[in-house]
Amino acid sequence: MIASLEGDERAVLGVASASDGALLYESAQWLGVNKSHQSYEYAMQIRDLTLAVEQCISSASLMWAPELQKELLKASHFGMAFSNGLECNRFARMIRKLRVLNEVHRRRIGIPITYPQLQELGESGLVNRLIDIGAYGLAIEICIWLEMDQQEGIDRVLLEWVRRTISKAAESVNPAELDMQELDEKITRKLLGYPHVSLADAAKRAVDAKLPKLARLLIKREKDDSKQVQVLLDLGDVQEALTRAAAAQRPQLMHQVVRHLMKGQKRAEYELAIRKIPLAQCLYQDLVRDENERGSGKMMLALLEQASDFERQAMFHLDAVANEINPSERLYCLRRAKEAARNMGDKGVEELLNDMAAFAPGQSERGQEHMTVRETLIEYAADPQKVAQFKHQAKLTEKQVWLWTIEGLAKLGKTEQLLDLAQKKSPVGYVPFVKACIKYNQREESKKYLAKVHGYQELIAANMALGNFVAAAKIAFDRRDRDTLQQIFMKSHSDKDVYSKVGQLIKSL
């Protein structure tokens, strides 16, 4: 046997070889077998320890007998003990590969493969050979020994076992007579030992084998909602997929199911299925709303009417009011919104929309369809008769009329009318007068109304509106109101001096 060796094998095991590898091997033999000091003499003759270790490892890879492999690996390990620069990765990798080779050489497997052949075939190729002969257990062990990627290694072996187990069971007997429960338990027991392997993948194999009952049993055990829903869709269990997606409370998953239904079924069919799940119905309506196709608005309204969703019908019509240019169409949409509110049973919204509908024709006559009630009243604030008319038509409250009239007079620069209005008892106080004047750049006018302001909160608000942050801070300081002082402090940051003074007041509390 020795005479037939070549390369590193001859260098290490050849007769009368004086190579570094042979010297290291002899040194290890003398130490391990004879416990002789002659081991030291052989070791001292080694010129290149790194080369010696490499030769021993290389020789071990080409040996068939496990005993000789061990001796050569022990020699290389012995040499590595005398060097700090040698990496042990190749040594460890070689041990794993020799373990694999020795395992497949056994009689029960019977694959007479050498190390060079393994290198040529590749690790995945060897696993494939083991799968082909049904040696799944050894294939998994080898995947672990060689630290192969899970998806390419253990997962692939297990799923191939699942596929063949299902196929074999389906071919052996009539599918109608097959005990699905037993097969489900068999597959589950195996896969539960490997939690990273998805039962959904096993269920997909059952679907491919046309065993939907088994697939349904397997998918019930799957914990990943998205995988579970996908398999249910593959099985055509639309309602179950919708129910699972809704139970998961994951809109993205529900969106996936709805999209799947829209692609694969007729509109009448999937709308009927979606109606039973409120979350799916809402998502579907949003999808329809986002569609840019012609007629999508009518489709959206039809869905809302079909679902008797009066609240969203009202919102739909109000959106149309905001976007519609044609006055008659705007009025029509407003009336439809009012009908939806009445069907919804919300009296407050119905009355509000009724007032808007009553006000809309007058807006059309004035050519002000684009203006809101507030904007219209502000525009005509200087005309008391118009204000009274708008108040009646739109059924505005006294406070609304006062606030909008104050703002309108300030905007129009009607300072005398504003001053006359301030002589009356104001239901909204006098802070709005100050704020309106400041808003429309009438600072001097605003000071006239500051004297009329009474009350702690009103004085704070008026002074802050005027920018008198220090005065406002002093009022709050007298009340020891730290929260209000903090608010004033945050508002006064634009003026460093004022900011500093307010800060000092806070610190002195």
Side-chain angles (χ1 to χ4, degrees):
M1 181 181 73
I2 299 297
S4 64
L5 297 179
E6 295 181 2
D8 287 337
E9 308 100 290
R10 178 177 291 279
V12 176
L13 300 175
V15 177
S17 174
S19 68
D20 290 331
L23 292 170
L24 179 60
Y25 178 67
E26 286 295 328
S27 177
Q29 287 290 304
W30 279 104
L31 180 66
V33 178
N34 301 320
K35 307 292 183 184
S36 171
H37 66 278
Q38 204 164 351
S39 171
Y40 176 75
E41 294 178 4
Y42 277 104
M44 291 303 294
Q45 296 179 46
I46 298 172
R47 296 174 295 278
D48 188 341
L49 187 57
T50 302
L51 176 61
V53 171
E54 285 293 326
Q55 286 178 337
C56 287
I57 292 174
S58 180
S59 298
S61 70
L62 300 170
M63 294 299 104
W64 191 271
E67 294 78 11
L68 194 52
Q69 291 172 0
K70 288 179 182 179
E71 290 179 2
L72 288 164
L73 288 173
K74 283 181 180 179
S76 61
H77 187 260
F78 174 62
M80 290 171 67
F82 293 97
S83 176
N84 295 327
L86 289 172
E87 293 186 3
C88 61
N89 290 340
R90 184 168 184 268
F91 177 76
R93 188 73 179 168
M94 183 58 69
I95 290 175
R96 294 194 194 101
K97 289 197 173 183
L98 288 175
R99 184 181 184 184
V100 169
L101 287 171
N102 292 334
E103 197 65 35
V104 298
H105 289 167
R106 292 179 182 273
R107 184 175 296 177
R108 62 188 179 88
I109 302 298
I111 300 179
I113 187 173
T114 63
Y115 180 78
Q117 289 172 336
L118 175 61
Q119 292 293 89
E120 185 70 24
L121 180 63
E123 296 170 358
S124 295
L126 178 61
V127 171
N128 289 339
R129 296 285 180 89
L130 293 171
I131 290 173
D132 290 340
I133 63 174
Y136 300 105
L138 180 58
I140 290 174
E141 289 295 323
I142 287 175
C143 290
I144 295 171
W145 294 342
L146 296 178
E147 299 178 346
M148 293 177 66
D149 178 71
Q150 280 189 349
Q151 190 172 0
E152 286 295 318
I154 296 175
D155 291 12
R156 184 163 59 90
V157 175
L158 284 170
L159 292 175
E160 187 61 26
W161 172 82
V162 169
R163 187 187 68 80
R164 291 196 182 181
T165 301
I166 293 172
S167 299
K168 186 177 179 180
E171 292 170 1
S172 61
V173 296
N174 189 332
E177 300 174 0
L178 191 61
D179 189 345
M180 298 295 181
Q181 196 72 38
E182 182 182 348
L183 190 55
D184 167 54
E185 290 176 1
K186 179 181 178 181
I187 293 171
T188 304
R189 276 197 306 271
K190 175 69 74 174
L191 296 187
L192 284 178
Y194 302 90
H196 57 277
V197 181
S198 172
L199 283 164
D201 292 328
K204 287 179 182 178
R205 300 302 189 278
V207 173
D208 295 339
K210 298 182 180 179
L211 296 175
K213 185 177 179 181
L214 176 61
R216 291 185 179 95
L217 290 172
L218 288 168
I219 202 60
K220 284 181 180 178
R221 303 175 187 268
E222 177 58 55
K223 295 181 180 179
D224 189 322
D225 297 321
S226 58
K227 291 181 179 179
Q228 193 177 54
V229 167
Q230 185 58 54
V231 173
L232 288 170
L233 290 175
D234 293 341
L235 287 166
D237 294 350
V238 174
Q239 203 60 48
E240 183 66 19
L242 282 168
T243 304
R244 295 291 175 87
Q249 294 294 312
R250 290 170 58 187
Q252 186 177 2
L253 190 58
M254 182 62 76
H255 191 278
Q256 176 188 342
V257 178
V258 172
R259 281 289 189 190
H260 178 88
L261 295 179
M262 291 175 70
K263 287 181 180 179
Q265 293 188 0
K266 294 180 180 178
R267 179 180 163 188
E269 293 176 356
Y270 67 69
E271 283 186 358
L272 185 63
I274 287 170
R275 281 183 62 188
K276 298 176 183 178
I277 309 293
L279 178 59
Q281 177 79 353
C282 291
L283 283 173
Y284 178 58
Q285 290 170 359
D286 290 339
L287 281 173
V288 172
R289 178 178 291 173
D290 292 339
E291 291 291 339
N292 293 322
E293 299 174 357
R294 183 178 296 177
S296 61
K298 293 181 180 179
M299 184 177 174
M300 179 67 190
L301 182 58
L303 280 173
L304 295 173
E305 290 174 348
Q306 188 182 57
S308 299
D309 190 342
F310 300 116
E311 183 178 356
R312 298 189 77 179
Q313 283 180 44
M315 292 172 64
F316 177 87
H317 290 304
L318 287 173
D319 286 342
V321 170
N323 297 322
E324 186 59 59
I325 299 175
N326 190 321
S328 59
E329 287 294 328
R330 283 166 60 91
L331 185 58
Y332 172 74
C333 293
L334 200 56
R335 287 170 179 166
R336 291 292 302 275
K338 184 179 69 174
E339 290 174 9
R342 181 169 59 251
N343 292 330
M344 185 170 55
D346 193 323
K347 295 291 184 183
V349 175
E350 184 184 355
E351 289 178 6
L352 179 62
L353 292 173
N354 192 40
D355 296 342
M356 289 176 65
F359 189 72
Q363 291 287 79
S364 299
E365 292 175 6
R366 290 186 293 272
Q368 296 172 334
E369 301 90 350
H370 62 286
M371 294 175 67
T372 63
V373 177
R374 174 180 172 276
E375 290 170 343
T376 305
L377 196 144
I378 288 173
E379 187 71 21
Y380 290 94
D383 189 340
Q385 291 183 350
K386 289 282 187 183
V387 170
Q389 181 185 347
F390 296 153
K391 179 184 177 183
H392 175 72
Q393 288 179 346
K395 295 185 179 179
L396 301 175
T397 64
E398 191 71 17
K399 287 186 177 182
Q400 282 178 317
V401 173
W402 268 78
L403 287 171
W404 295 345
T405 302
I406 291 167
E407 185 174 351
L409 292 173
K411 181 181 179 181
L412 297 170
K414 303 292 184 179
T415 55
E416 292 183 4
Q417 279 186 258
L418 188 62
L419 194 59
D420 290 340
L421 186 64
Q423 304 306 317
K424 302 175 183 178
K425 186 177 180 181
S426 171
V428 294
Y430 294 93
V431 175
F433 287 85
V434 176
K435 289 183 176 180
C437 291
I438 293 296
K439 182 177 180 179
Y440 295 104
N441 300 316
Q442 297 181 26
R443 188 174 186 82
E444 290 301 320
E445 288 294 323
S446 66
K447 294 178 181 178
K448 297 177 182 179
Y449 305 102
L450 183 61
K452 292 180 174 289
V453 177
H454 299 288
Y456 171 63
Q457 293 294 343
E458 288 75 13
L459 283 168
I460 294 289
N463 277 289
M464 287 182 68
L466 284 165
N468 298 336
F469 295 109
V470 175
K474 287 180 179 178
I475 296 170
F477 179 80
D478 292 339
R479 290 288 188 99
R480 296 294 187 269
D481 188 346
R482 182 176 290 275
D483 291 339
T484 302
L485 270 172
Q486 287 288 354
Q487 292 176 11
I488 298 169
F489 182 65
M490 295 301 294
K491 293 280 187 180
S492 64
H493 62 84
S494 57
D495 190 323
K496 291 184 178 180
D497 292 336
V498 172
Y499 190 70
S500 175
K501 289 177 181 178
V502 176
Q504 288 175 1
L505 286 173
I506 293 174
K507 290 178 182 178
S508 61
L509 271 181

